[in-house]
Amino acid sequence: MASTFAPRLVNGPFGDPGLFVELRWQGSAVLFDLGRNDALPAADLLKVTHVFVSHTHMDHFIGFDRVLRLFLNRDKDLALFGPAGILDCVAGKLAGYVWNLTDDYPFAFDVTEVTSAGATRARFRASSGFRREDAPPLDAPQGDATATTPVLVDQGHFRVRAAITDHKIPCLAFAIDEPMHLNVDGDALSRAGYAPGRWLAHLKDALRADAADDTPLTVARADRTTTELTVGALRPLVRVTLGQKFGYIVDTRFIPENLAVLLPVVRAADVLFCESPFLDEDRDQAAMRYHLTAAEAGTIARLAGARRLKVFHYSPRYQGRGDMLRREAEAAFRGRVDPGVLAELGAAVA
Ligand SMILES: [Zn+2]
Ligand SMILES: [Zn+2]
């Protein structure tokens, strides 16, 4: 499998949820959820360009302040996406401090609130005391976006989609994928007498953008000279393979309405990161708290055709018994889905 993304959970399975995904060739990263994130080194957190917040229950949002503090005097923007209410939650966090000495700070949050009615966007700039400034919605990426599973970001080298699920409040699940993985054939490169360098990134950008064959490109040669070639002439140097995909599901219920929007988004993920707070014997508790059980997490991964399942966000009541949650999820993932469950889910899994 081509590996562009290096994902890792921010905390252990009993800690606050969060997934850090490093984009290896870009030197950047994206972060899913803002629970406690002290375990992430500042240098890693500072690579983040996009933050995706599932919802603002405390265990998913208390880490906002550390991000704010780290980024405050940096010359960059941070894009943040969240469900209905996120704009008020960000404004509320920012209103908890006094900003009379940040006039010359360039940092800004660019926040997009994702609802089934569409996206609303606002900027919060340090230089204006983080006052909310309404902004036009970002260009909606094209593709198979629908209101319930919109594409939030499409940057060519990565794309993020969301599903709006019911957790008694709207809660977003996400998938990040690389629509097209481009691999340079090193042998062909040296046979042709070219040297690796920035021009390869430009070539990949051109291929992703479907540039015309006669598009010119400056190529570095092994003898340290450069030469002008076309995208068409260079195309054979690059192999196109299927990119990676990772799913992230937290705080949701195992009901047909949720599965109907979740499954298309996380379908065929290489790894599905899924909450697994309760054992199935406690499924009444899980349902009451609008959460999944381990068996339900396993069933979702199976129905989605995920290659691997990584469960986390365990309830503290199972401290010392985390292995039971993992095993129950794995058994459901590897096993057959109960026909009764399938019948109950009906069209959601068809
Ligand atoms: Zn929650
Ligand atoms: Zn939670």
Side-chain angles (χ1 to χ4, degrees), residues 155-325:
Q155 302 247 322
H157 56 285
F158 81 94
R159 176 173 63 175
V160 173
R161 286 179 74 191
I164 303 172
T165 80
D166 174 26
H167 172 51
K168 204 172 182 180
I169 49 168
C171 177
L172 302 181
F174 302 101
I176 179 168
D177 73 340
E178 184 187 25
M180 181 195 274
H181 183 77
L182 302 173
N183 222 342
V184 175
D185 182 339
D187 291 341
L189 196 71
S190 52
R191 272 200 308 276
Y194 305 145
R198 282 300 299 166
W199 68 274
L200 286 172
H202 297 150
L203 174 60
K204 288 180 178 179
D205 287 345
L207 293 173
R208 283 196 191 97
D210 211 10
D213 270 355
D214 58 1
T215 309
L217 205 87
T218 307
V219 173
R221 301 184 54 90
D223 62 9
R224 297 181 175 220
T225 60
T226 59
T227 179
E228 285 288 315
L229 290 167
T230 64
V231 165
L234 296 165
R235 201 179 283 275
L237 294 177
V238 181
R239 272 198 315 272
V240 180
T241 53
L242 207 58
Q244 291 171 294
K245 177 171 180 176
F246 298 99
Y248 180 84
I249 299 176
V250 287
D251 295 46
T252 194
R253 278 189 69 193
F254 194 81
I255 52 174
E257 296 81 351
N258 282 344
L259 267 69
V261 290
L262 281 171
L263 292 176
V265 170
V266 301
R267 174 120 31 234
D270 292 291
V271 184
L272 175 61
F273 293 87
C274 190
E275 73 152 356
S276 174
F278 292 93
L279 284 171
D280 213 50
E281 64 188 31
D282 297 321
R283 75 176 154 267
D284 291 351
Q285 274 292 318
M288 229 162 60
R289 304 191 62 83
Y290 285 73
H291 277 289
L292 298 175
T293 68
E296 289 167 349
T299 303
I300 290 174
R302 180 164 189 89
L303 292 171
R307 289 179 53 182
R308 275 180 55 212
L309 169 65
K310 176 87 183 154
V311 286
F312 66 110
H313 204 3
Y314 297 171
S315 162
R317 69 166 67 193
Y318 304 104
Q319 231 15 292
R321 295 188 292 152
D323 234 31
M324 290 175 71
L325 289 160

